[in-house]
Amino acid sequence: MKIDSMIASVAEATQMPRKDVKKVVTALFDSIKKAVEAGEKVNVPGLGVFQQRERAAGERVNPKTGETVSVAAARFTVLKPSRSVLGLPKRQKAAGAKGAAAG
């Protein structure tokens, strides 16, 4: 789904004008982006958790040529999907788990 179809869907569901929905959706995504870039985890219930991860610099070997290539460190954003997005059942809390751990 592209942003335009998402905006149309929300506008239809809420009976709000598209231009107002576009402002809200844009502001929502901007706030998620800023929070993740600041190093915060952003938890969206029913969707998942957005967070930044880092990959250390290192070297990799090209399997075709055998040449060693330097790979720079990188930061990237990931989404860890919620169990409901993956189609998994909710986790059940273990009965008495708190008491068993303390005893």
Side-chain angles (χ1 to χ4, degrees):
M1 174 183 274
K2 294 188 177 187
I3 191 83
D4 288 336
S5 56
M6 186 184 306
I7 290 169
S9 176
V10 172
E12 184 178 325
T14 61
Q15 298 297 312
M16 291 176 61
R18 283 179 62 113
K19 67 178 184 168
D20 293 341
V21 172
K22 184 175 183 177
K23 289 179 188 177
V24 171
V25 170
T26 302
L28 174 68
F29 288 143
D30 286 344
S31 66
I32 291 172
K33 181 179 174 185
K34 286 177 185 174
V36 170
E37 287 175 348
E40 297 179 45
K41 287 184 181 180
V42 179
N43 184 8
V44 181
L47 179 63
V49 179
F50 292 92
Q51 63 186 16
Q52 281 262 318
R53 293 222 177 128
E54 293 186 21
R55 181 185 65 216
E59 294 183 344
R60 307 285 191 270
V61 177
N62 182 336
K64 274 189 173 180
T65 64
E67 179 183 358
T68 302
V69 180
S70 295
V71 179
R75 291 176 55 187
F76 51 96
T77 303
V78 295
L79 169 65
K80 180 181 176 190
S82 68
R83 293 180 65 84
S84 63
V85 168
L86 296 173
L88 300 172
K90 290 184 178 180
R91 288 195 175 142
Q92 300 296 320
K93 293 183 180 179
K98 207 175 203 182

